Amino acid sequence: MSAEETLAQLAGKISVCTNCVLNETRKKSVPGDGPADAEIMFIGEGPGFHENEQGHPFVGAAGKFLDQLLAQAGVTRDEVFIGNVVKCRPPGNRDPLPEELAACDEYLEAQIQTINPSIIVTLGRFSMNKFIPGAKISTIHGQMRKVGERFVIPMFHPAAALHQAALKPSILADFANLPDQLNEARAALGRKAVVKKKESIAPKNEKPKQLSLF
Ligand code: URA
């Protein structure tokens, strides 16, 4: 099975999962979006209102800010994988409970193994705690460290930075460092950049029209 197929199969399992109570109130599960060969994986907390409606991660206000942050790092959504520690919305956007995090972890682990990213960026304390238990985000944000076979960079949650203006310069600076950190991670892991082939928009058997300069 290809990595794409494995991710699709996982998304199918997540959509009918009943491993925790969050399935009782979910409208749509949110398995995460992005290519199966993404070099960077962002892991947030859990779906909010809009994500639960649409089935996609970070599509509300925090998502708009995340788009700005990605631009700061010179990447677009279609180059990275964006997911969450829990795949179904905690009612009223409450914090996910330990048993919900534990129940959903097998899906996140399977996604990480399948995508095998060079870097995992944790957004907020719940995903940071999975990789760096007991750490304090205010002291280690933006710092890349090796955790197992890959690198982890803890960052503030975009929603936190939206609500606390004082965090905004830090999160912007942390995202601006990502390209250098990716190069560092690639070198340390002996990996090359994933070069994406640009899809031709010209119909098959038809040469792209040369635009006149005049
Ligand atoms: N906040 C998250 O942590 N994840 C989402 O998908 C949306 C908002």
Side-chain angles (χ1 to χ4, degrees), residues 30 44-48 51 56-59 62 83-84 123 157:
V30 181
E45 189 175 313
E51 291 77 19
H56 296 289
F58 284 94
V59 290
N84 284 304
L123 301 172
H157 194 287

PDB file of all heavy atoms in Angstrom, residues 30 44-48 51 56-59 62 83-84 123 157, ligand 1:
ATOM      1  N   VAL A  30     -11.572  15.058  11.922  1.00  0.00           N
ATOM      2  CA  VAL A  30     -10.568  15.871  11.220  1.00  0.00           C
ATOM      3  C   VAL A  30      -9.239  15.115  11.267  1.00  0.00           C
ATOM      4  O   VAL A  30      -8.441  15.306  12.193  1.00  0.00           O
ATOM      5  CB  VAL A  30     -10.446  17.273  11.881  1.00  0.00           C
ATOM      6  CG1 VAL A  30      -9.426  18.134  11.132  1.00  0.00           C
ATOM      7  CG2 VAL A  30     -11.795  17.973  11.938  1.00  0.00           C
ATOM      8  N   GLY A  44      -1.426  20.296  15.957  1.00  0.00           N
ATOM      9  CA  GLY A  44      -2.153  21.186  16.860  1.00  0.00           C
ATOM     10  C   GLY A  44      -2.844  20.384  17.945  1.00  0.00           C
ATOM     11  O   GLY A  44      -2.462  19.248  18.268  1.00  0.00           O
ATOM     12  N   GLU A  45      -3.906  20.987  18.476  1.00  0.00           N
ATOM     13  CA  GLU A  45      -4.587  20.394  19.629  1.00  0.00           C
ATOM     14  C   GLU A  45      -5.772  19.523  19.183  1.00  0.00           C
ATOM     15  O   GLU A  45      -5.723  18.298  19.283  1.00  0.00           O
ATOM     16  CB  GLU A  45      -5.044  21.556  20.511  1.00  0.00           C
ATOM     17  CG  GLU A  45      -5.582  21.150  21.842  1.00  0.00           C
ATOM     18  CD  GLU A  45      -5.893  22.392  22.685  1.00  0.00           C
ATOM     19  OE1 GLU A  45      -5.056  23.316  22.756  1.00  0.00           O
ATOM     20  OE2 GLU A  45      -6.988  22.437  23.260  1.00  0.00           O
ATOM     21  N   GLY A  46      -6.790  20.173  18.677  1.00  0.00           N
ATOM     22  CA  GLY A  46      -7.964  19.423  18.244  1.00  0.00           C
ATOM     23  C   GLY A  46      -8.865  20.318  17.434  1.00  0.00           C
ATOM     24  O   GLY A  46      -8.727  21.548  17.479  1.00  0.00           O
ATOM     25  N   PRO A  47      -9.806  19.725  16.707  1.00  0.00           N
ATOM     26  CA  PRO A  47     -10.715  20.533  15.893  1.00  0.00           C
ATOM     27  C   PRO A  47     -11.551  21.478  16.749  1.00  0.00           C
ATOM     28  O   PRO A  47     -11.922  21.137  17.877  1.00  0.00           O
ATOM     29  CB  PRO A  47     -11.634  19.482  15.242  1.00  0.00           C
ATOM     30  CG  PRO A  47     -10.950  18.164  15.423  1.00  0.00           C
ATOM     31  CD  PRO A  47     -10.068  18.286  16.613  1.00  0.00           C
ATOM     32  N   GLY A  48     -11.824  22.656  16.211  1.00  0.00           N
ATOM     33  CA  GLY A  48     -12.752  23.590  16.844  1.00  0.00           C
ATOM     34  C   GLY A  48     -14.073  23.558  16.076  1.00  0.00           C
ATOM     35  O   GLY A  48     -14.342  22.617  15.314  1.00  0.00           O
ATOM     36  N   GLU A  51     -13.687  23.466  12.124  1.00  0.00           N
ATOM     37  CA  GLU A  51     -13.038  22.223  11.687  1.00  0.00           C
ATOM     38  C   GLU A  51     -14.031  21.067  11.774  1.00  0.00           C
ATOM     39  O   GLU A  51     -14.098  20.202  10.902  1.00  0.00           O
ATOM     40  CB  GLU A  51     -11.807  21.941  12.557  1.00  0.00           C
ATOM     41  CG  GLU A  51     -10.646  22.924  12.349  1.00  0.00           C
ATOM     42  CD  GLU A  51     -10.843  24.271  13.023  1.00  0.00           C
ATOM     43  OE1 GLU A  51     -11.687  24.361  13.935  1.00  0.00           O
ATOM     44  OE2 GLU A  51     -10.150  25.242  12.625  1.00  0.00           O
ATOM     45  N   HIS A  56     -11.723  19.628   8.075  1.00  0.00           N
ATOM     46  CA  HIS A  56     -10.330  19.995   7.751  1.00  0.00           C
ATOM     47  C   HIS A  56      -9.712  20.777   8.912  1.00  0.00           C
ATOM     48  O   HIS A  56     -10.421  21.509   9.607  1.00  0.00           O
ATOM     49  CB  HIS A  56     -10.282  20.833   6.472  1.00  0.00           C
ATOM     50  CG  HIS A  56     -10.750  20.075   5.269  1.00  0.00           C
ATOM     51  ND1 HIS A  56     -10.015  19.049   4.708  1.00  0.00           N
ATOM     52  CD2 HIS A  56     -11.897  20.154   4.564  1.00  0.00           C
ATOM     53  CE1 HIS A  56     -10.685  18.537   3.697  1.00  0.00           C
ATOM     54  NE2 HIS A  56     -11.832  19.180   3.590  1.00  0.00           N
ATOM     55  N   PRO A  57      -8.390  20.645   9.093  1.00  0.00           N
ATOM     56  CA  PRO A  57      -7.755  21.296  10.239  1.00  0.00           C
ATOM     57  C   PRO A  57      -7.513  22.790  10.008  1.00  0.00           C
ATOM     58  O   PRO A  57      -7.288  23.224   8.870  1.00  0.00           O
ATOM     59  CB  PRO A  57      -6.404  20.558  10.351  1.00  0.00           C
ATOM     60  CG  PRO A  57      -6.103  20.161   8.941  1.00  0.00           C
ATOM     61  CD  PRO A  57      -7.434  19.862   8.295  1.00  0.00           C
ATOM     62  N   PHE A  58      -7.552  23.548  11.073  1.00  0.00           N
ATOM     63  CA  PHE A  58      -7.181  24.968  11.052  1.00  0.00           C
ATOM     64  C   PHE A  58      -7.845  25.745   9.908  1.00  0.00           C
ATOM     65  O   PHE A  58      -7.165  26.307   9.058  1.00  0.00           O
ATOM     66  CB  PHE A  58      -5.647  25.112  10.989  1.00  0.00           C
ATOM     67  CG  PHE A  58      -4.976  24.830  12.303  1.00  0.00           C
ATOM     68  CD1 PHE A  58      -4.480  23.561  12.590  1.00  0.00           C
ATOM     69  CD2 PHE A  58      -4.847  25.820  13.269  1.00  0.00           C
ATOM     70  CE1 PHE A  58      -3.867  23.290  13.821  1.00  0.00           C
ATOM     71  CE2 PHE A  58      -4.242  25.556  14.504  1.00  0.00           C
ATOM     72  CZ  PHE A  58      -3.751  24.294  14.776  1.00  0.00           C
ATOM     73  N   VAL A  59      -9.174  25.725   9.905  1.00  0.00           N
ATOM     74  CA  VAL A  59      -9.904  26.496   8.891  1.00  0.00           C
ATOM     75  C   VAL A  59     -10.608  27.715   9.495  1.00  0.00           C
ATOM     76  O   VAL A  59     -11.239  28.478   8.787  1.00  0.00           O
ATOM     77  CB  VAL A  59     -10.921  25.615   8.109  1.00  0.00           C
ATOM     78  CG1 VAL A  59     -10.215  24.637   7.198  1.00  0.00           C
ATOM     79  CG2 VAL A  59     -11.870  24.885   9.065  1.00  0.00           C
ATOM     80  N   ALA A  62      -7.773  30.791  13.860  1.00  0.00           N
ATOM     81  CA  ALA A  62      -6.393  30.352  14.125  1.00  0.00           C
ATOM     82  C   ALA A  62      -5.756  29.842  12.831  1.00  0.00           C
ATOM     83  O   ALA A  62      -4.546  29.993  12.616  1.00  0.00           O
ATOM     84  CB  ALA A  62      -6.380  29.254  15.189  1.00  0.00           C
ATOM     85  N   GLY A  83      -2.083  18.405  11.264  1.00  0.00           N
ATOM     86  CA  GLY A  83      -3.003  17.520  11.985  1.00  0.00           C
ATOM     87  C   GLY A  83      -3.148  17.959  13.432  1.00  0.00           C
ATOM     88  O   GLY A  83      -2.744  19.065  13.811  1.00  0.00           O
ATOM     89  N   ASN A  84      -3.705  17.083  14.221  1.00  0.00           N
ATOM     90  CA  ASN A  84      -3.989  17.397  15.623  1.00  0.00           C
ATOM     91  C   ASN A  84      -3.765  16.176  16.498  1.00  0.00           C
ATOM     92  O   ASN A  84      -3.795  15.051  16.003  1.00  0.00           O
ATOM     93  CB  ASN A  84      -5.459  17.822  15.765  1.00  0.00           C
ATOM     94  CG  ASN A  84      -5.716  19.238  15.268  1.00  0.00           C
ATOM     95  OD1 ASN A  84      -5.080  20.188  15.721  1.00  0.00           O
ATOM     96  ND2 ASN A  84      -6.627  19.368  14.321  1.00  0.00           N
ATOM     97  N   LEU A 123       2.193  22.576  17.987  1.00  0.00           N
ATOM     98  CA  LEU A 123       1.496  23.851  18.180  1.00  0.00           C
ATOM     99  C   LEU A 123       0.700  23.760  19.485  1.00  0.00           C
ATOM    100  O   LEU A 123      -0.325  23.088  19.539  1.00  0.00           O
ATOM    101  CB  LEU A 123       0.565  24.127  16.995  1.00  0.00           C
ATOM    102  CG  LEU A 123       1.249  24.210  15.617  1.00  0.00           C
ATOM    103  CD1 LEU A 123       0.215  24.289  14.505  1.00  0.00           C
ATOM    104  CD2 LEU A 123       2.195  25.407  15.546  1.00  0.00           C
ATOM    105  N   HIS A 157       0.741  27.928  20.271  1.00  0.00           N
ATOM    106  CA  HIS A 157      -0.430  27.665  19.435  1.00  0.00           C
ATOM    107  C   HIS A 157      -0.845  28.980  18.765  1.00  0.00           C
ATOM    108  O   HIS A 157      -0.885  30.019  19.436  1.00  0.00           O
ATOM    109  CB  HIS A 157      -1.570  27.113  20.297  1.00  0.00           C
ATOM    110  CG  HIS A 157      -2.657  26.518  19.473  1.00  0.00           C
ATOM    111  ND1 HIS A 157      -3.537  27.286  18.747  1.00  0.00           N
ATOM    112  CD2 HIS A 157      -2.990  25.224  19.227  1.00  0.00           C
ATOM    113  CE1 HIS A 157      -4.370  26.484  18.109  1.00  0.00           C
ATOM    114  NE2 HIS A 157      -4.066  25.223  18.378  1.00  0.00           N
TER     115      HIS A 157
HETATM  116  N1  URA B   1      -6.923  24.512  16.722  1.00  0.00           N
HETATM  117  C1  URA B   1      -6.266  23.330  16.664  1.00  0.00           C
HETATM  118  O1  URA B   1      -5.462  23.014  17.519  1.00  0.00           O
HETATM  119  N2  URA B   1      -6.496  22.554  15.635  1.00  0.00           N
HETATM  120  C2  URA B   1      -7.331  22.864  14.658  1.00  0.00           C
HETATM  121  O2  URA B   1      -7.486  22.083  13.731  1.00  0.00           O
HETATM  122  C3  URA B   1      -7.999  24.102  14.736  1.00  0.00           C
HETATM  123  C4  URA B   1      -7.782  24.908  15.776  1.00  0.00           C
END
